[in-house]
Amino acid sequence: MHELLSIIIVPAVAGIVPIFVPRRWKVVAGVYSLAVAAWVLLRSVALYGGGDAAWAKFLFNLGGQLPFVFGLRLYHFSAFVLLFVAIFAVLSILYSIGYLWSKDKPSLYYSFMLWTISAAAGVVLADNLLILLIFWEILTALLFFLTNMGEKGHEKSAAKAFTVLGLSDAAMLLGIVLLWVTKGTLTMSGLSVSAGDPFSVAAFILLFVGAIAKAGAMPFHSWVPEMAVSTPASIMAFLPASLDKLLGIYFLARISLDIFAIRAGSGLSLMMMIVGAATIIFAVLMALVQHNLKKLLSFHAVSQVGYMVMGVGSGIPIAIVGGLFHMLNNAIYKSGLFLGAGAVEKRAGTTELDQLGGFARLMPVTFITMAIAALSISGIPPMNGFASKWLIYQGMLEGRHIVFLVVAIFGSALTLASFVKVIHSVFLGRRPERFAAVKEVDFSMQLPMIFLAILCVLFGIFAQYPLERFIIPSVSGGELVNISMGNIATVPTDGFWSPGAATALIVVGIILGLLVYAFTGRGAYRTDENVWIGGNVMDNEEIRVPGTHFYKTVTDDLGPAVKTLFADGDKGAADGYNIIGRMGNGVVQLLRAIHNGNLSTYLAWIVIGLGILAFMLIFKL
Amino acid sequence: MTAFGYIVKYLLFPGFVFSAVVGLLTTWVDRKVTARVQYRVGPPWYQPFADTIKLLGKEVVVPAGARTTGFLVMPVVGLAAATLASTILWLVNLDPTVSFVGDTIVVLYIMTIPALALIIGGSASGNPLGILGASREMKLMFGYELPLVMAVLTTVVKVGSFSFEKILIHQEYNGVMLGSVSGVLAFIVAIFCAQAKLGFIPFDIPEAETEIAGGTHIEYSGAPLAVVRLNTAIMYLVMPLFIITMFWGGVNFVGWRILTSILKYVAIVVIIVVVKNTNPRVRIDHALRFFWGPMFVLSAVALILATLGY
């Protein structure tokens, strides 16, 4: 079997085994799946180092004239995405083993995980748009099944995810058919469309809808927050947080840079940047007021997509590099955050922010890894999130897109604000008495979180390395040269900031400050004084302040416009699913009003219908 | 520059020691002027130094129920970041040809770390008033961050680059930003934002001594309190310096420019002190409305004028 084909087929076949493992032995299924995922990882490392490869098999002639080829193609960009898909798969499965230990879930879970790996590899390697779409649809179906394994309320969220993604997949199919009709080929590497005529613009927009719905940008975002609370954290970390971002943005980059070659300053580029900017700002505003940790994180999973769409859509080389780097960074810190949320959920039994508090001492590893990821997503230097946002800012300035620049920077400040709320509510704050005996999660669950946190720091301090190794060759070496890039390999490196020096100096400063502590006041401190407020010493439960109302001023006191925005936000702002749902309901209500069960009404309808028919027949309309 | 050279610059000149001394002297000027405004004599020049040294020797009390490590480490993190911002700004001002560590965006982000450290410290203190202060500080931060970023971008757009080096050289040859309409508007916005960033009246809402008894600072004592104070002192140096760099051609120690540099710095400090002494504290929602209302409009106008070339 060809090496590209094997990476799709092996996990698909191997995924059959866990079906037959009894529920109480699901650990065995987990370890087995971990081994399969590790094999995929090893293979993708080898493929990554092995250079370009391709495999194709002629299947049949579509419609009697179009040769339909099952084509797979590996080049730098797809190899790099495949590598990270495999890394996240290994981490998620490792985490799942501990996470599902005491939960009543079938071993089938691991089958779905393995099939997801297989389908994701198919999407990344496919060189034929229709083949890509088939794997894409399989992913949607698998997401539906995995979501359905969640806690209370999973039916609703699984249905919503399936509806939104299914409809956007249908849009993609339409776009692909348009391309096929106008261009006569579906092979991605051979397809080059200048988005000038209305047909190509329509095709691009349809494909764009598919890409951003998968990545979770507005207005097709609402399935992510909907599923956040009921779905297991391991699934959230694997699918919406990392895999769907990687694949969605991978496809977006392929269509906008490679197939359609959207130029900077064109109308489509502007449209993409507007979608990006709106996603950044509205999703982060929603995140600010959430009361549930997982739901809050899911709104950030939406918000961050905005940076990627903005960067890739701008058509400016340095911003494209930044957007793709942000895709990678976001997958890293966002899945780290969801894994941390899962750890808290496992030990506390809830992710409601106002019931948590003081977990920093109880779960130090979870706290430190989540704090690092939170700093990364807020773009605090020297973490990785800052490095990629910095590149996007530079690109926005270069293109003189000042409004988008302001939105991007301000969105980052709001992100920080909502993570201050998380850090306070979950980890600092005061601890409710009932959590006194909570312990850190098992090492198998800590390991993925530690690994991701270390990546956050390393990709920030040594940002040059991932940029030169993964991102820049993907853009300049492969297909994406369609666009007139200039000398992209030198753009980000010229005048790049020195995170290494900054970090070293901050660390020197911190060490020095701690030394000052140690040598003054004899380094001792007392902790036996109770907090004393307004003349009273109060007990712990009385003075617990959860962070859920940190930003009440913003939502309540700033006038009716802001208030309306947030009121709608709780139900899902600008949520196409709800709006279409309301319209559909309207139609149904109208039909219900007609079907009132009165024989005379039905007779009247029949008579009217006959009348119209007779009229049309007589006058030969 | 060698690693050792970096560390010496960071710790001694123009980093920690220099910034702390100048910053503490600035707080003395502030206290003295305030005292004179209120018909008091005011402290002698060495008072801030004496306060700091005394605090370093005092006992440290951490309240029961606080998250000790976070509570104690955070002031130090803030101090390290403030010092880094100061070092970057000084080095690029003293020699604009040497680009050190980073550009405007980097400094803008590093300058948020001291505030963030205070927020986390207040949140870890376990005191409801500290937590209240932390939430106010955060709200204030995203209040002023938007106009501040837009004010800074006014210069950036005009120069066409984020790099300090280019901003300084541009002002050297084309006249300072304050000479243009957009520059003046952005400068006004930046001064108000500096007031909020330093936590001074009318925006001392997170500390609000008379109302929430120090807010984020409430539980700090001894050496950590000294560090918190040093933090404020260094930021008192960093913010005016940042504004001078962005809008007023920077500072320099060569020849007669040493005099103008000091005058620029003193002028900005005096503006800040005067605003501080002639205003009452506003409420947090007022502050947010102020920054997202008039300040936003002003900075937007400045930004639009800058893109048009005025």
Side-chain angles (χ1 to χ4, degrees):
Chain A
M1 203 176 352
H2 193 270
E3 52 179 3
L4 294 184
L5 201 56
S6 70
I7 214 160
I8 300 173
I9 296 211
V10 169
V13 173
I16 299 171
V17 176
I19 301 176
F20 303 107
V21 178
R23 198 172 274 238
R24 61 202 143 86
W25 292 351
K26 62 176 178 292
V27 176
V28 179
V31 174
Y32 162 80
S33 314
L34 186 63
V36 176
W39 179 85
V40 174
L41 177 59
L42 285 179
R43 286 306 306 149
S44 38
V45 170
L47 283 179
Y48 179 79
D52 296 1
W55 179 86
K57 185 169 171 58
F58 172 79
L59 292 181
F60 50 82
N61 270 335
L62 255 184
Q65 45 187 330
L66 179 73
F68 187 61
V69 180
F70 191 101
L72 297 179
R73 177 163 167 272
L74 181 91
Y75 72 109
H76 199 98
F77 192 16
S78 50
F80 136 68
V81 175
L82 182 66
L83 178 66
F84 278 90
V85 165
I87 290 176
F88 285 113
V90 168
L91 293 177
S92 307
I93 292 178
L94 176 60
Y95 181 89
S96 301
I97 295 173
Y99 183 71
L100 296 180
W101 188 275
S102 53
K103 282 190 196 298
D104 184 33
K105 299 275 180 257
S107 308
L108 192 58
Y109 172 93
Y110 293 106
S111 298
F112 289 145
M113 287 293 248
L114 289 179
W115 290 334
T116 303
I117 299 173
S118 161
V123 167
V124 171
L125 294 176
D127 194 29
N128 182 307
L129 278 172
L130 211 53
I131 298 291
L132 184 141
L133 183 71
I134 291 167
F135 284 119
W136 194 270
E137 299 268 15
I138 295 173
L139 272 179
T140 304
L142 287 169
L143 178 75
F144 174 75
F145 292 130
L146 280 170
T147 313
N148 249 330
M149 289 195 169
E151 308 301 323
K152 199 169 142 285
H154 60 82
E155 310 88 351
K156 204 179 153 210
S157 45
K160 188 168 189 173
F162 196 68
T163 315
V164 174
L165 289 176
L167 284 176
S168 65
D169 292 355
M172 258 173 87
L173 179 62
L174 218 61
I176 290 172
V177 169
L178 259 180
L179 274 185
W180 173 46
V181 170
T182 51
K183 299 293 157 195
T185 177
L186 290 175
T187 308
M188 289 169 85
S189 48
L191 208 54
S192 176
V193 186
S194 62
D197 58 308
F199 276 114
S200 356
V201 171
F204 177 77
I205 291 177
L206 288 168
L207 294 177
F208 176 69
V209 165
I212 64 166
K214 181 69 94 190
M218 281 190 174
F220 307 104
H221 64 290
S222 57
W223 60 279
V224 186
E226 180 78 36
M227 70 189 279
V229 179
S230 65
T231 311
S234 50
I235 304 290
M236 288 304 289
F238 184 43
L239 282 163
S242 51
L243 204 63
D244 287 347
K245 299 286 174 286
L246 287 173
L247 299 180
I249 300 300
Y250 165 77
F251 186 62
L252 177 66
R254 287 300 298 269
I255 55 170
S256 66
L257 309 176
D258 181 0
I259 297 179
F260 285 88
I262 303 295
R263 302 206 169 262
S266 65
L268 285 175
S269 158
L270 188 68
M271 177 201 78
M272 286 197 268
M273 285 197 289
I274 291 173
V275 167
T279 303
I280 291 175
I281 212 77
F282 287 115
V284 80
L285 282 173
M286 291 307 130
L288 216 50
V289 294
Q290 295 306 318
H291 293 221
N292 186 300
L293 177 57
K294 280 160 93 183
K295 196 152 193 170
L296 187 148
L297 292 180
S298 70
F299 270 108
H300 283 293
V302 173
S303 169
Q304 297 295 310
V305 183
Y307 286 95
M308 306 165 210
V309 175
M310 187 191 266
V312 172
S314 70
I316 298 159
I318 188 166
I320 294 171
V321 169
L324 293 179
F325 192 31
H326 204 66
M327 162 191 89
L328 179 58
N329 290 336
N330 173 72
I332 294 168
Y333 54 64
K334 186 49 59 56
S335 63
L337 285 167
F338 271 115
L339 295 182
V344 170
E345 187 189 21
K346 188 173 172 68
R347 287 301 186 232
T350 178
T351 48
E352 289 297 324
L353 288 176
D354 52 3
Q355 294 175 21
L356 298 165
F359 277 61
R361 187 173 299 162
L362 306 173
M363 306 174 73
V365 176
T366 309
F367 168 56
I368 291 169
T369 53
M370 259 187 107
I372 289 174
L375 291 178
S376 299
I377 193 174
S378 314
I380 297 294
M383 302 301 175
N384 61 355
F386 178 74
S388 45
K389 281 181 186 171
W390 187 88
L391 290 169
I392 296 173
Y393 299 159
Q394 303 287 337
M396 290 299 130
L397 179 66
E398 196 184 304
R400 310 277 291 178
H401 301 302
I402 307 303
V403 176
F404 298 120
L405 180 58
V406 171
V407 167
I409 299 180
F410 186 53
S412 170
L414 292 176
T415 307
L416 177 66
S418 74
F419 276 98
V420 160
K421 179 167 136 179
V422 169
I423 296 290
H424 170 74
S425 305
V426 181
F427 293 107
L428 301 172
R430 294 182 85 91
R431 184 179 65 224
E433 295 300 340
R434 66 193 177 101
F435 291 133
V438 164
K439 287 198 181 57
E440 183 61 271
V441 288
D442 304 329
F443 186 68
S444 73
M445 285 173 76
Q446 291 176 24
L447 196 63
M449 298 193 278
I450 295 172
F451 179 78
L452 291 170
I454 289 175
L455 273 192
C456 281
V457 177
L458 289 185
F459 278 14
I461 297 178
F462 305 106
Q464 295 284 1
Y465 181 80
L467 277 173
E468 281 165 10
R469 190 110 186 99
F470 301 126
I471 312 291
I472 295 171
S474 301
V475 183
S476 58
E479 285 301 302
L480 311 186
V481 282
N482 255 343
I483 193 161
S484 54
M485 282 280 182
N487 191 5
I488 189 155
T490 61
V491 175
T493 47
D494 174 37
F496 196 64
W497 82 294
S498 353
T503 318
L505 291 181
I506 288 190
V507 169
V508 166
I510 292 172
I511 291 172
L512 199 82
L514 294 180
L515 284 179
V516 171
Y517 276 0
F519 287 107
T520 56
R522 295 165 299 283
Y525 55 85
R526 292 194 289 128
T527 58
D528 50 358
E529 292 288 342
N530 277 312
V531 167
W532 196 83
I533 302 156
N536 286 312
V537 174
M538 297 184 165
D539 76 12
N540 188 45
E541 293 296 319
E542 251 182 326
I543 53 173
R544 229 170 58 73
V545 183
T548 37
H549 293 302
F550 263 25
Y551 307 121
K552 218 167 170 328
T553 316
V554 184
T555 51
D556 290 0
D557 298 349
L558 285 185
V562 182
K563 214 169 175 170
T564 327
L565 177 74
F566 280 108
D568 195 32
D570 281 347
K571 301 184 212 90
D575 180 356
Y577 184 79
N578 283 351
I579 294 167
I580 294 173
R582 251 176 258 145
M583 277 154 55
N585 190 37
V587 174
V588 170
Q589 293 305 331
L590 185 72
L591 290 175
R592 271 183 64 181
I594 294 167
H595 281 268
N596 57 1
N598 282 343
L599 189 62
S600 48
T601 319
Y602 293 153
L603 276 177
W605 284 118
I606 291 168
V607 171
I608 292 171
L610 280 176
I612 293 172
L613 270 179
F615 182 81
M616 287 173 73
L617 287 174
I618 291 167
F619 292 98
K620 295 204 171 68
L621 285 172
Chain B
M1 219 184 313
T2 61
F4 183 72
Y6 272 128
I7 292 175
V8 168
K9 282 196 160 58
Y10 177 70
L11 292 181
L12 299 177
F13 180 86
F16 178 69
V17 173
F18 175 73
S19 308
V21 168
V22 179
L24 286 174
L25 279 178
T26 314
T27 60
W28 171 72
V29 172
D30 182 324
R31 286 167 74 173
K32 188 81 182 172
V33 172
T34 307
R36 295 310 300 156
V37 170
Q38 298 168 347
Y39 293 102
R40 289 186 287 116
V41 180
W45 68 268
Y46 55 83
Q47 190 64 49
F49 300 93
D51 287 350
T52 308
I53 290 163
K54 191 183 75 178
L55 276 176
L56 283 175
K58 292 283 182 187
E59 185 185 37
V60 178
V61 181
V62 179
R67 303 273 77 87
T68 314
T69 318
F71 180 71
L72 291 179
V73 168
M74 275 308 143
V76 178
V77 174
L79 187 67
T83 308
L84 181 62
S86 174
T87 314
I88 294 174
L89 283 170
W90 276 112
L91 283 180
V92 77
N93 267 295
L94 297 181
D95 184 2
T97 57
V98 180
S99 195
F100 176 74
V101 174
D103 56 12
T104 319
I105 293 283
V106 174
V107 169
L108 211 51
Y109 272 84
I110 289 177
M111 286 195 311
T112 63
I113 296 180
L116 181 62
L118 258 187
I119 292 168
I120 296 178
S123 148
S125 71
N127 187 318
L129 297 183
I131 295 164
L132 193 58
S135 91
R136 288 180 176 192
E137 176 85 48
M138 192 63 238
K139 278 183 278 200
L140 190 61
M141 196 163 144
F142 64 65
Y144 66 68
E145 203 72 4
L146 179 64
L148 179 62
V149 163
M150 288 170 71
V152 167
L153 284 182
T154 306
T155 303
V156 169
V157 164
K158 211 154 190 193
V159 178
S161 168
F162 283 117
S163 111
F164 282 123
E165 181 193 337
K166 296 215 174 98
I167 288 170
L168 286 172
I169 290 170
H170 180 91
Q171 296 191 59
E172 186 77 42
Y173 289 106
N174 303 331
V176 296
M177 279 297 292
L178 266 181
S180 62
V181 186
S182 59
V184 172
L185 293 179
F187 177 79
I188 295 170
V189 173
I191 289 282
F192 277 108
C193 293
Q195 203 87 13
K197 211 170 181 73
L198 293 169
F200 288 162
I201 302 168
F203 304 114
D204 66 334
I205 313 158
E207 287 149 45
E209 281 85 357
T210 49
E211 182 189 341
I212 53 171
T216 43
H217 298 180
I218 187 166
E219 291 295 348
Y220 281 112
S221 54
L225 183 59
V227 174
V228 169
R229 291 232 174 147
L230 269 179
N231 217 325
T232 315
I234 293 182
M235 284 309 284
Y236 211 157
L237 173 67
V238 169
M239 270 324 283
L241 186 62
F242 182 66
I243 291 176
I244 295 171
T245 312
M246 295 307 291
F247 303 106
W248 210 349
V251 296
N252 208 308
F253 288 165
V254 181
W256 60 272
R257 292 187 62 173
I258 192 167
L259 193 67
T260 53
S261 301
I262 292 173
L263 280 178
K264 285 178 195 170
Y265 179 65
V266 169
I268 291 188
V269 169
V270 165
I271 297 176
I272 289 175
V273 174
V274 168
V275 173
K276 188 178 164 185
N277 276 298
T278 49
N279 282 283
R281 180 169 61 241
V282 296
R283 251 181 16 223
I284 185 71
D285 56 319
H286 291 157
L288 279 179
R289 255 191 223 131
F290 175 72
F291 281 117
W292 287 357
M295 286 297 110
F296 173 76
V297 172
L298 209 58
S299 55
V301 170
L303 201 48
I304 291 166
L305 287 177
T307 42
L308 297 176
Y310 291 101

